[in-house]
Amino acid sequence: MSIAQRALILGSTSRYRRELLQRLRVPFDVVSPEVDETPLPDETPLALATRLAKAKAKAVAALHPNAVVIGSDQVADLNGEPLGKPGTHERAVLQLQRMRGQTVVFQTAVSVVCQASGFEQTELAQIKVRFRDLSDAEIDAYLRAEEPYDCAGSAKSEGLGIALLDAIDNDDPTALIGLPMIRTARLLRAAGIDLLGAIKP
């Protein structure tokens, strides 16, 4: 089996990552990585995102050794403190109250692993996001409108959440949504996946 014929698997249950990967028009399966995402003691947001992206890719690759597997993770970094998915309205309110007027770095790591070929590479996108000095009323109105409780940092920049922001500094446009597609495509090419050659007319 040549590497170009290998199955592609997204080791994530995130609908945002699935929708982004579909842009490449390459068939892929989705497998839940079953990885504990609890931060280690004193682990930085950058280290946490990188470790979890690698762990997710490796966990799925262990189950599907002939496949090329993508793992990814994103951690919102507020002055060195990791902020995860809020899960509830109340926690999302607290996150946005803490982030208003602040610059938050979204650490987004992507790892590609193929156990059979020995391929393993990881890249990191760091997106600086400056939040407006939001009022409590604006925060509550936004959260009730978009309910971004499954998003690190409690906001969807691709939706109404853009109204919360003053600026985004990012060299990989989809990284803030959860999967840096420029870096992902680069890693897949390095793993032997011919993205454009795989497209059928």
Side-chain angles (χ1 to χ4, degrees):
M1 175 187 290
S2 68
I3 295 179
Q5 295 173 315
R6 294 191 189 280
L8 179 61
I9 298 177
L10 175 62
S12 173
T13 55
S14 164
R15 72 176 190 272
Y16 308 110
R17 293 191 180 107
R18 184 174 66 249
E19 289 168 0
L20 287 171
L21 191 58
Q22 286 171 344
R23 295 184 184 186
L24 295 181
R25 304 187 188 185
V26 176
F28 66 92
D29 293 318
V30 174
V31 175
S32 175
E34 305 299 331
V35 168
D36 182 359
E37 299 189 20
T38 306
L40 300 175
D42 300 319
E43 189 172 31
T44 66
L46 185 155
L48 175 60
T50 303
R51 177 176 64 84
L52 291 180
K54 291 179 179 179
K56 290 174 182 180
K58 289 180 179 179
V60 175
L63 300 174
H64 303 273
N66 288 314
V68 173
V69 180
I70 302 168
S72 186
D73 194 75
Q74 182 179 81
V75 179
D77 181 344
L78 178 61
N79 301 319
E81 179 186 346
L83 301 179
K85 300 170 185 173
T88 67
H89 180 83
E90 292 71 25
R91 284 199 288 267
V93 168
L94 292 175
Q95 275 195 2
L96 287 176
Q97 285 176 338
R98 293 187 61 202
M99 293 189 297
R100 59 187 167 194
Q102 302 287 318
T103 295
V104 179
V105 180
F106 285 78
Q107 311 281 5
T108 307
V110 58
S111 184
V112 172
V113 173
C114 179
Q115 197 171 88
S117 70
F119 182 86
E120 181 182 324
Q121 288 187 21
T122 302
E123 291 203 27
L124 179 75
Q126 296 179 301
I127 310 99
K128 294 181 180 179
V129 178
R130 190 167 72 245
F131 282 80
R132 293 174 42 243
D133 189 10
L134 303 162
S135 68
D136 287 347
E138 286 178 309
I139 289 172
D140 187 70
Y142 166 69
L143 291 175
R144 294 192 185 283
E146 198 151 62
E147 300 183 347
Y149 307 132
D150 59 347
C151 299
S154 305
K156 295 181 184 179
S157 65
E158 69 275 24
L160 180 60
I162 201 72
L164 307 180
L165 310 179
D166 267 335
I168 299 174
D169 182 5
N170 179 12
D171 68 353
D172 201 335
T174 61
L176 190 54
I177 304 173
L179 189 63
M181 291 303 295
I182 292 174
R183 287 166 170 81
T184 300
R186 181 161 58 224
L187 291 174
L188 291 178
R189 287 193 300 270
I193 302 293
D194 184 1
L195 296 174
L196 296 177
I199 296 175
K200 293 181 173 55

